[in-house]
Amino acid sequence: MPTQKKRPGRRTEKPPPRRGASRTTARKGASQRPGRGRAPVVRTPGPLQYKVVELSTVDEGALERTLNEWTAKGWNLDGVQFAMRESSKRPAMAFVFFTREGEAARHDEDDARQKLLRMSETGSPTAQLAAEAAGEHAQTVVPFVHPLSAHERLAKLAGLDEPEPTEEGLTLEPEE
């Protein structure tokens, strides 16, 4: 195995660079960089809107599509948070955070409550669509049965709408 030569030491005629000097001024052509000499644009901070996109499939393509889609809509990437599995080094999920300037969306609480009440009484629109789609593919025509409201379903599951069952047999009293 050949031995390697020692690297020559520092030449004494060339002094070390000064500590205060930046690397950009030491390079040739540093003054001709694009954007050099312009003042930075400083904006007054305004209200921000936030957007969170959840990715259940984390791969290069899904991240790329998400970033391209939302930045094209005017959102700025704020960060990415990965949710890891214990058994794997690959992330199970990713949350991509975006921001943009503008007023936050206004939420009408009364309207949201009314919508929830309507859904609890009539069932969800998604369930109705699924029932209609299943009815179209069925061989026999079954009339649409009105779904139970959420309150009725919970009461039925809790057994509140049924009379108390009569107990048969011996009832033991606790000892005093």
Side-chain angles (χ1 to χ4, degrees):
M1 179 184 273
T3 60
Q4 293 181 353
K5 287 186 169 184
K6 271 177 103 178
R7 286 182 46 195
R10 180 178 279 281
R11 295 186 185 141
T12 55
E13 61 268 5
K14 184 178 178 187
R18 291 191 327 235
R19 286 191 164 210
S22 69
R23 292 183 183 191
T24 57
T25 57
R27 284 189 290 153
K28 291 181 181 178
S31 62
Q32 297 175 5
R33 277 196 346 232
R36 179 126 174 118
R38 293 188 205 156
V41 177
V42 179
R43 295 183 185 167
T44 57
L48 287 178
Q49 288 181 336
Y50 289 88
K51 177 79 178 162
V52 180
V53 179
E54 176 185 330
L55 298 176
S56 56
T57 304
V58 183
D59 62 358
E60 181 182 355
L63 287 168
E64 223 172 77
R65 283 189 299 276
T66 303
L67 291 173
N68 288 333
E69 176 185 349
W70 290 102
T71 54
K73 294 179 181 179
W75 292 89
N76 299 315
L77 176 66
D78 190 49
V80 180
Q81 181 72 44
F82 295 100
M84 304 298 290
R85 290 188 185 107
E86 288 184 24
S87 61
S88 173
K89 292 182 181 180
R90 187 172 202 76
M93 297 176 75
F95 297 93
V96 187
F97 301 97
F98 296 95
T99 59
R100 73 176 172 192
E101 287 187 31
E103 287 295 320
R106 303 256 184 235
H107 295 288
D108 186 9
E109 291 182 20
D110 293 329
D111 186 39
R113 283 192 183 101
Q114 292 299 327
K115 185 175 180 181
L116 285 173
L117 285 173
R118 279 194 311 270
M119 286 176 62
S120 72
E121 292 170 359
T122 62
S124 74
T126 307
Q128 288 178 354
L129 288 173
E132 289 171 6
E136 290 174 3
H137 297 296
Q139 301 261 338
T140 58
V141 177
V142 179
F144 179 72
V145 178
H146 189 276
L148 294 175
S149 72
H151 181 67
E152 292 170 338
R153 180 72 177 137
L154 286 172
K156 188 173 182 180
L157 287 173
L160 297 178
D161 59 344
E162 299 173 2
E164 289 289 324
T166 57
E167 294 183 10
E168 295 179 10
L170 180 64
T171 304
L172 296 175
E173 296 293 326
E175 294 182 24
E176 295 179 15

